[in-house]
Amino acid sequence: MNKITLITGATSGIGQATAEKFAQNKHDLIITGRRTDRLENIAGELGSKYGISIFPAAFDIRHRGEVDEFIKNLPDEWKNIKILINNAGLAAGLDPIQEGNIDDWEQMIDTNIKGLLYITRAVAPMMIEQGGGHIINIGSIAGREVYASGNVYCATKHAVDALTKGMRIDLLPYGIKVTQIAPGLVETEFSIVRLKGDTDRAKKVYAGYDPLTGKDIAEAIYFATTLPEHVNINDLLIMPTAQANATTVFKKKH
Ligand code: NDP
Ligand code: 8X3
């Protein structure tokens, strides 16, 4: 097998672009997400284009039993995971706290925090057994700042920031690198999901400036994995040039 990289949430956006970047560089991939048809299409496409092996696993990262089942069913030759990219995540809704939808809150907490923890809890011991590895957590500018109606999403990404720091301390004796990549505005399906399918409103989030693309973030993730053994990028905050902070974006007038 080539170097094995596990990417969660590879059915669109940053995860899909990252799968392509690692496939180009001859990694064998475990890719996950809930949408089976997309996973299978991506696996077929990348496998034939780049001549690598791909193990697609469709499950909901919020459900501990499904994560356990995924790990249990992983064939032995796929257990030697060198790189884990904890990318699956979402924002659901954009409401002030007093009007928040509690189902949305639970979905974000269960996916962005608990899902990331379930996967990490399963994979970190495998890395320890192999004598090393690299865990990359996808954080956000929302993990550094809080903006209006971002409340729970921002809290989950602050949690990813804290968990990244905690993982780095706990995994230090085992030679496991832990990196956080924290993007600003990236045009993916993120806003369509957050705004519950309102594509017109989602398009406006990225109008009037050049947002980041999934590919931009994939390049940075890949770069972080190419450094010498003794070098680790702890944290990267990556913004579109037109974005200064969570709330200041320079948009061209139409
Ligand atoms: P997308 O909506 O395009 O991709 C999200 C991915 O997460 C999909 O593959 C989706 O797969 C997967 N996912 C969501 N929920 C679950 C679940 N319960 N179980 C398994 N997989 C799940 O958005 P992005 O690519 O933008 O988002 C990727 C990460 O980047 C997220 O963690 C997001 O918070 C973060 N981020 C995004 C930014 C942006 O501006 N776009 C900026 C900063 C960070 P499926 O639906 O098939 O399950
Ligand atoms: C996604 C970027 O600014 O919508 O994490 O929070 S933002």
Side-chain angles (χ1 to χ4, degrees), residues 18-205:
T18 303
E20 172 122 32
K21 181 71 191 174
F22 279 78
Q24 274 168 4
N25 287 283
K26 301 284 175 218
H27 287 236
D28 289 327
L29 301 179
I30 303 170
I31 55 172
T32 86
R34 289 162 301 178
R35 288 170 287 183
T36 313
D37 49 340
R38 286 208 192 186
L39 271 182
E40 278 167 7
N41 288 340
I42 292 166
E45 225 172 82
L46 296 182
S48 58
K49 196 163 161 194
Y50 299 109
I52 53 150
S53 301
I54 307 199
F55 186 89
F59 64 91
D60 191 324
I61 205 168
R62 288 173 295 176
H63 301 147
R64 200 168 145 187
E66 291 186 33
V67 176
D68 289 347
E69 200 63 18
F70 155 64
I71 295 291
K72 205 177 84 197
N73 292 334
L74 211 51
D76 280 345
E77 67 272 24
W78 282 99
K79 289 197 168 125
N80 196 14
I81 298 165
K82 296 280 187 230
I83 299 168
L84 163 62
I85 302 169
N86 278 317
N87 165 75
L90 81 166
L94 190 61
D95 301 311
I97 201 85
Q98 67 279 11
E99 291 166 19
N101 176 322
I102 293 177
D103 289 336
D104 285 347
W105 294 356
E106 287 183 339
Q107 187 179 8
M108 290 186 275
I109 291 166
D110 289 352
T111 311
N112 301 357
I113 305 177
K114 291 166 71 180
L116 177 146
L117 282 170
Y118 298 155
I119 293 282
T120 305
R121 178 65 184 82
V123 174
M126 296 177 180
M127 288 181 168
I128 290 173
E129 200 161 305
Q130 295 156 36
H134 195 163
I135 298 175
I136 298 187
N137 295 329
I138 305 303
S140 172
I141 182 65
R144 312 292 171 87
E145 295 177 46
V146 178
Y147 50 83
S149 298
N151 44 64
V152 176
Y153 177 67
C154 295
T156 65
K157 289 297 176 178
H158 276 70
V160 172
D161 184 51
L163 287 170
T164 304
K165 290 171 183 152
M167 286 180 198
R168 193 176 302 118
I169 297 165
D170 295 345
L171 297 173
L172 195 62
Y174 306 102
I176 296 173
K177 297 186 184 188
V178 183
T179 297
Q180 173 173 234
I181 306 276
L185 290 153
V186 191
E187 187 166 13
T188 60
E189 294 178 14
F190 178 86
S191 289
I192 300 171
V193 171
R194 171 175 248 177
L195 301 169
K196 318 262 168 97
D198 185 342
T199 46
D200 289 340
R201 203 175 148 209
K203 254 191 211 132
K204 287 190 188 127
V205 175

Side-chain angles (χ1 to χ4, degrees), residues 227-246:
L227 298 172
E229 233 5 79
H230 68 290
V231 182
N232 183 48
I233 293 182
N234 281 5
D235 208 346
L236 263 186
L237 177 62
I238 309 172
M239 311 287 274
T241 306
Q243 182 178 15
N245 59 29

Side-chain angles (χ1 to χ4, degrees), residues 205-249:
V205 175
Y206 308 108
Y209 69 102
D210 289 328
L212 295 168
T213 64
K215 194 167 174 290
D216 296 325
I217 303 305
E219 295 289 336
I221 295 171
Y222 183 70
F223 172 71
T225 68
T226 59
L227 298 172
E229 233 5 79
H230 68 290
V231 182
N232 183 48
I233 293 182
N234 281 5
D235 208 346
L236 263 186
L237 177 62
I238 309 172
M239 311 287 274
T241 306
Q243 182 178 15
N245 59 29
T247 51
T248 313
V249 181

